[in-house]
Amino acid sequence: MKGYPKAAQGLYKVFVGQALSSALSPLLAGSSLEGLVLLAGLLLYLFGLRQARSDDKRYGIALILAVVVLIVNFTANLASVNYPVIGSLGRMAITVLNLITLFFVCKATSALCMDVGQEKTAKLGRPVLWMNVVCAAVSLILSVLSLIPGLASAQASLSYFALFIALLGSLMYIWFLFRASRVLVPSGYTSTQTDEDDYDEYDEYDEYDEYGDEYDEDYDENEEMSKEGAPELQAGGAPAEKETEE
């Protein structure tokens, strides 16, 4: 069966990274482990996209966008200390960039799944994308409301809905990544296969190779003796008997 092992391995790393960042880190909020979990999830996410781009260039675009998000996030956090408006605009830009990144990942993953005949998994990409579009829209509305004085009550009530949508969208995305990382593995492929295993299937031919080497040596010796005028050899190396005239 056709498959994409690089994309499968990369998407599994993206799946683990997304699970650490979206599912595990909120449970560790406020603890000393939260930062380590977020960092591990981020690194796995980036390394996974880097590995998956070998099978589809759209993962490479998603990787570039993910790096841009890191730069914008760092800049926005610095600017928000003295300029809260710039911080809010930066968070809005991050929301849009994350959505575009997810778009490229979902499109590439769905295309690869369709190519290997996994239509059921490929169709999961569409609801994942639309759910995250809704999540991004709600997040943008919350960012706009934060810039308008006197709308704190509306912002608070909408934030609970935004949290629910974000959690649902994240779970759908994680499941999609996991399913894709399983179905894109070629049939019979094992990433831990060693060179010794690769040559095991040829061991049965070693005996024939030895006979072949012996035959080649006998043939070379006979040919050399024939050139020097030596009598021709019969099979087995014995001299051929000359015909005598009666």
Side-chain angles (χ1 to χ4, degrees), residues 4-33:
Y4 297 94
K6 293 295 184 182
Q9 296 171 9
L11 287 177
Y12 187 77
K13 290 184 178 67
V14 174
F15 152 71
V16 176
Q18 188 70 20
L20 290 176
S21 301
S22 302
L24 185 58
S25 62
L27 299 177
L28 300 174
S31 67
S32 58
L33 295 177

Side-chain angles (χ1 to χ4, degrees), residues 102-153:
L102 185 140
F103 170 81
F104 280 107
V105 173
C106 288
K107 283 296 182 181
T109 305
S110 294
L112 295 183
C113 290
M114 287 292 293
D115 196 39
V116 298
Q118 297 290 336
E119 297 183 5
K120 185 176 180 180
T121 302
K123 291 180 180 179
L124 292 175
R126 185 179 294 273
V128 169
L129 183 58
W130 279 110
M131 179 59 67
N132 282 274
V133 167
V134 174
C135 180
V138 174
S139 179
L140 291 174
I141 293 174
L142 284 173
S143 297
V144 173
L145 292 177
S146 65
L147 299 176
I148 302 176
L151 295 179
S153 58

Side-chain angles (χ1 to χ4, degrees), residues 149-214:
L151 295 179
S153 58
Q155 182 181 358
S157 59
L158 189 60
S159 62
Y160 293 106
F161 177 71
L163 181 62
F164 172 75
I165 294 295
L167 179 60
L168 183 59
S170 180
L171 291 176
M172 292 175 62
Y173 185 42
I174 291 173
W175 174 246
F176 176 54
L177 293 172
F178 176 75
R179 286 288 304 162
S181 68
R182 301 296 92 186
V183 302
L184 290 178
V185 179
S187 178
Y189 175 84
T190 55
S191 59
T192 58
Q193 189 174 14
T194 62
D195 293 338
E196 183 179 353
D197 296 332
D198 293 337
Y199 290 104
D200 282 345
E201 58 182 311
Y202 299 106
D203 287 344
E204 58 182 306
Y205 299 107
D206 290 345
E207 182 179 355
Y208 298 102
D209 291 340
E210 294 176 2
Y211 288 122
D213 293 340
E214 293 178 3

